[in-house]
Amino acid sequence: AGYSVAVNRPYEGTMVPAAFLGAPRVHSIMVEVRRGLYMDEATGSRNGAFPATRRTLQACLASALAAANAT
């Protein structure tokens, strides 16, 4: 899709509710997306790239979920 990806940058780890922390069936993922890709940072409104950015993220998450369920 033309994006660059980094693992554990700029942050490392995810946030899991304490009640589920360490549960064997719980998996988590945190995705950080640079705001300039999908919004006008001066106004906070969505820019024209928002729909494509959303579709790309949805496809990536669907792929990750499918891969996790295949194991």
Side-chain angles (χ1 to χ4, degrees):
Y3 299 116
S4 61
V5 176
V7 176
N8 291 329
R9 291 196 57 156
Y11 307 106
E12 185 174 337
T14 63
M15 298 174 73
V16 177
F20 299 101
L21 194 60
R25 292 181 44 171
V26 174
H27 303 273
S28 68
I29 183 171
M30 185 183 307
V31 178
E32 297 284 335
V33 180
R34 189 172 52 84
R35 288 186 307 227
L37 290 174
Y38 62 88
M39 71 181 276
D40 179 332
E41 294 190 67
T43 65
S45 60
R46 296 173 180 175
N47 67 22
F50 180 85
T53 304
R54 178 176 52 192
R55 283 191 302 273
T56 300
L57 285 170
Q58 287 172 331
C60 289
L61 293 173
S63 178
L65 183 59
N69 287 332
T71 58

